[in-house]
Amino acid sequence: MVSSKKELFTVEQQGAAELFKALAHPARIAILEYLATTRDCITGDISEILPLARTTVNQHLSALKSAGFIQGSISGAKTYYCIDPTKVEKLKSMTNNLLRELSDANPHCLCNDSSKPISHEDSDPLYGKQLP
Amino acid sequence: MVSSKKELFTVEQQGAAELFKALAHPARIAILEYLATTRDCITGDISEILPLARTTVNQHLSALKSAGFIQGSISGAKTYYCIDPTKVEKLKSMTNNLLRELSDANPHCLCNDSSKPISHEDSDPLYGKQLP
DNA sequence: AAAAAATAACGTATATTTACGTCAAAAATA
DNA sequence: TATTTTTGACGTAAATATACGTTATTTTTT
């Protein structure tokens, strides 16, 4: 790998990928779910819930914060974290856009075209065969 | 990192994370979008569209295939890839579940509770401050 | 039968993610 | 004031992802 190459795609594609990447670990899903169900959202609490060390949880929290999914507000020694509803809305609209794109155009694909019946595992004996 | 730890979360959380992970790179988003708009979905075509080498594109295709987002059917020397609409539906329902979870419960959080006004960047001068 | 076309497999190098321990600093408490 | 609590910063090691060139194999074309 010489460079990252991600910047060669559209900003929409990059944005979508970043959003999904933030959710691409079960710990971060769990953190968001926990934050959604409690008022007492401090780091210590979360690391007691999750099967991970506190520093690891903190790392996941940072990732979620960088992606904009959560906000943190310091109150004394404690830091309160909570979900940013704006970002959740953005995830919703962005996912809906992508899903619409993917499902609308799909019937055009050869594999799902009923006028070309010999193309899937049901009918094609070579489906899924590895080239040796 | 000793072990992966991902297996310590619920299967739902793992499944969601895997699905999102498959979409966590702009190239894979671009591939899905391209597959949605064309009938001629063979590897060579896609690598001419994307700013990546053919082998790299193939790698991303494998990732999407492993995740179940695309199917491939070999016809002669060419391999035709297409989106699996079932998986797209699964992404939709799973995302909707998560979004419902996250938006429903959010008002309970302290940070978004109007009865505790001093907690966000507008009112809290310490918001976002790094502990040095 | 030989050459060309197309693809997956393999190997490799670099970058990033994941997981955690240790440490220092700020605030609360004794 | 000293101790405890809480947190983020830093360093590190292993795992995984990304990007690509090379190679072998199959099919098509010549």
Side-chain angles (χ1 to χ4, degrees):
Chain A
M1 201 213 294
V2 182
S3 61
S4 178
K5 299 270 178 158
K6 286 179 184 173
E7 63 277 359
L8 297 177
F9 296 88
T10 70
V11 279
E12 288 80 13
Q13 289 164 344
Q14 292 180 55
E18 267 180 52
L19 227 53
F20 288 132
K21 192 174 191 174
L23 304 173
H25 194 285
R28 293 195 287 273
I29 304 269
I31 288 174
L32 288 178
E33 288 177 339
Y34 177 78
L35 285 179
T37 60
T38 183
R39 332 178 16 113
D40 303 313
C41 40
I42 49 175
T43 306
D45 292 350
I46 301 175
S47 54
E48 279 170 23
I49 298 291
L50 300 180
L52 296 172
R54 189 187 57 78
T55 47
T56 306
V57 171
N58 219 311
Q59 212 166 239
H60 286 299
L61 279 170
S62 295
L64 286 170
K65 198 173 179 181
S66 297
F69 271 107
I70 59 175
Q71 305 168 317
S73 73
I74 297 173
S75 166
K78 298 179 179 178
T79 302
Y80 291 91
Y81 285 103
C82 63
I83 293 174
D84 184 345
T86 311
K87 199 71 178 187
V88 174
E89 273 308 307
K90 195 172 179 185
L91 171 67
K92 185 184 290 183
S93 63
M94 203 215 52
T95 307
N96 284 341
N97 282 348
L98 181 62
L99 285 169
R100 198 174 314 113
E101 244 183 308
L102 297 188
S103 36
D104 277 6
N106 200 54
H108 295 278
C109 179
L110 263 185
C111 299
N112 298 313
D113 190 346
S114 53
S115 68
K116 182 180 173 295
I118 305 178
S119 62
H120 262 330
E121 63 256 68
D122 324 316
S123 44
D124 187 350
L126 289 177
Y127 177 82
K129 187 193 168 201
Q130 304 288 2
L131 299 180
Chain B
M1 202 213 294
V2 183
S3 61
S4 178
K5 300 271 180 156
K6 286 180 183 171
E7 62 278 358
L8 297 177
F9 295 87
T10 71
V11 279
E12 288 81 13
Q13 288 164 344
Q14 292 180 55
E18 269 181 51
L19 228 55
F20 289 131
K21 193 174 191 174
L23 304 173
H25 194 286
R28 293 194 287 273
I29 304 267
I31 288 173
L32 288 179
E33 289 177 340
Y34 176 78
L35 285 180
T37 60
T38 182
R39 328 176 22 111
D40 303 313
C41 40
I42 50 175
T43 304
D45 292 350
I46 302 176
S47 54
E48 282 167 22
I49 298 292
L50 301 179
L52 296 173
R54 192 186 55 76
T55 48
T56 306
V57 171
N58 220 309
Q59 213 166 240
H60 285 300
L61 279 169
S62 295
L64 286 170
K65 198 173 181 182
S66 297
F69 271 107
I70 60 176
Q71 305 168 319
S73 73
I74 296 172
S75 166
K78 298 178 180 179
T79 302
Y80 291 91
Y81 286 103
C82 63
I83 292 174
D84 184 345
T86 312
K87 199 69 178 187
V88 174
E89 273 307 307
K90 194 172 180 184
L91 171 66
K92 186 184 290 183
S93 63
M94 204 214 53
T95 307
N96 284 342
N97 282 347
L98 181 63
L99 285 169
R100 198 174 315 113
E101 244 183 308
L102 296 188
S103 35
D104 277 7
N106 200 54
H108 296 277
C109 178
L110 262 186
C111 300
N112 298 314
D113 190 345
S114 54
S115 68
K116 183 181 171 293
I118 306 176
S119 60
H120 262 332
E121 62 257 68
D122 322 315
S123 44
D124 187 350
L126 289 176
Y127 177 84
K129 187 192 167 199
Q130 305 287 3
L131 298 179

